[in-house]
């Protein structure tokens, strides 16, 4: 029988790799009670390296099946869906229309992209890649969302632009999200500022000169990580 890259087949393969030891690792990392998880959103204990290997096998999965996989309450299944989307968007020969369809699915079902790792798997290579030569208004709408994962998407997507030395949106969105109250959004903003600083150190320093004093500590810590010790001490002193 020919292999069918369906959501059901992915879930069956995923179930073969469940491991209580991996589940306990996730428990420590994601801070949940492994014995009392939400039945609508839970980990089963499959190592992410295995999830990504399965995603590679299932890269031909159709969009409707990816969406079905996103519907799963199993966190590793949704991570698999994000990994499949990322691999489809990055594959040689992917057309703008195909990448656009992936981005549309990502945005339309953002309710299933409900943790930082799921955002980071696809926002950069799916949404960022789609918006590379298009208007980016959607990122500014996401940055003003009540959902912290949508806000994280808005800034992480700029990683695609930063790699092309296109920094305007990274700095503009960092300004919008500067005082975000969610630590995992703060860290993502700091991460993108640090990456932008790798491209244009002076522009990062100008942003920090203007904003470091009022920046949340997780954001500032990430943003200044690659600066020389004396610079880091200077910006930490402004924040004190």
């Amino acid at each position: 029988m020919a292999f069918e890259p369906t959501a059901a087949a992915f879930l069956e393969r995923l179930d073969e790799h469940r491991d209580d030891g991996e589940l306990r690792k996730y428990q420590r990392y994601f801070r949940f009670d492994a014995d009392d998880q939400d039945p609508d959103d839970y980990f089963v204990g499959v190592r992410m390296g295995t999830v990504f290997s399965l995603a590679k096998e299932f890269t031909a999965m159709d969009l409707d099946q990816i969406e079905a996989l996103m519907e799963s309450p199993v966190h590793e299944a949704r991570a698999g869906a994000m990994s499949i989307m990322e691999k489809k968007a990055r594959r040689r020969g992917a057309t703008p229309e195909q990448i656009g369809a992936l981005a549309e699915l990502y945005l339309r079902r953002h309710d299933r992209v409900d943790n930082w790792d799921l955002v980071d798997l696809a926002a950069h290579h799916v949404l960022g890649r789609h918006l590379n030569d298009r208007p980016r208004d959607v990122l500014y709408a996401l940055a003003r969302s009540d959902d912290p994962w949508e806000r994280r998407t808005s800034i992480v997507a700029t990683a695609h632009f930063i790699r092309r030395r296109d920094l305007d949106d990274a700095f503009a969105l960092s300004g919008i999200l500067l005082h975000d109250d969610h630590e995992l959004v703060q860290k993502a903003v700091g991460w993108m500022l640090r990456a932008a600083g790798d491209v244009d150190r002076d522009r990062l320093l100008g942003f920090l000169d203007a904003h470091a004093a009022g920046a949340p500590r997780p954001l500032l810590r990430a943003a200044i990580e690659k600066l020389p010790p004396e610079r880091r001490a200077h910006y930490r002193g402004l924040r004190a």
Side-chain angles (χ1 to χ4, degrees):
M1 181 182 296
F3 169 67
E4 292 290 338
T6 64
F10 188 98
L11 289 168
E12 184 176 343
R13 292 286 304 281
L14 194 69
D15 196 56
E16 296 171 0
H17 297 280
R18 297 172 66 141
D19 181 88
D20 286 343
E22 289 298 324
L23 181 59
R24 298 299 172 182
K25 290 178 185 178
Y26 284 136
Q27 177 184 13
R28 292 191 295 270
Y29 195 65
F30 285 92
R31 301 177 185 175
F32 61 86
D33 183 350
D35 297 316
D36 187 27
Q37 295 192 72
D38 183 343
D40 296 322
D41 185 3
Y42 59 89
F43 288 81
V44 295
V46 179
R47 190 174 63 88
M48 278 300 154
T50 301
V51 172
F52 301 153
S53 294
L54 287 174
K56 188 174 182 180
E57 294 180 37
F58 281 77
T59 304
M61 186 180 285
D62 290 337
L63 290 183
D64 65 328
Q65 291 301 302
I66 296 175
E67 184 168 4
L69 195 56
M70 292 172 74
E71 290 282 3
S72 173
V74 176
H75 185 95
E76 294 94 327
R78 297 198 303 281
M82 295 298 100
S83 185
I84 291 167
M85 292 173 73
E86 172 260 334
K87 288 173 170 55
K88 289 174 82 71
R90 297 180 71 184
R91 77 184 189 281
R92 184 175 298 176
T95 67
E97 291 75 20
Q98 289 168 335
I99 297 170
L102 291 165
E104 189 277 333
L105 173 59
Y106 179 92
L107 290 170
R108 180 169 55 79
R109 295 311 315 269
H110 209 301
D111 61 306
R112 306 305 297 160
V113 186
D114 59 358
N115 214 322
W116 65 268
D117 61 320
L118 305 183
V119 169
D120 294 359
L121 281 168
H124 169 188
H125 292 294
V126 174
L127 186 57
R129 189 175 298 261
H130 171 62
L131 296 175
N132 185 59
D133 54 359
R134 290 177 172 80
R136 298 167 186 174
D137 305 49
V138 64
L139 297 184
Y140 293 84
L142 290 170
R144 294 180 171 89
S145 170
D146 291 335
D147 182 349
W149 311 123
E150 291 189 353
R151 300 198 302 273
R152 186 170 173 113
T153 282
S154 73
I155 191 66
V156 173
T158 68
H160 188 80
F161 317 144
I162 292 169
R163 292 186 61 166
R164 286 154 180 76
R165 309 185 70 84
D166 177 357
L167 307 181
D168 289 352
D169 293 292
F171 281 107
L173 288 161
S174 293
I176 292 171
L177 295 169
L178 184 66
H179 301 293
D180 199 280
D181 61 3
H182 198 291
E183 183 177 357
L184 292 175
V185 177
Q186 297 168 14
K187 288 181 176 179
V189 173
W191 171 29
M192 290 301 104
L193 286 171
R194 183 177 71 233
D198 288 341
V199 176
D200 190 334
R201 176 63 58 84
D202 288 342
R203 191 163 179 184
L204 171 61
L205 295 179
F207 185 93
L208 292 171
D209 288 343
H211 300 295
R217 292 187 190 279
L219 186 159
L220 184 62
R221 189 181 305 117
I224 66 176
E225 185 178 13
K226 291 187 178 181
L227 297 181
E230 64 276 11
R231 284 280 191 178
R232 296 200 302 270
H234 168 71
Y235 290 119
R236 283 196 298 266
L238 294 179
R239 177 65 176 75

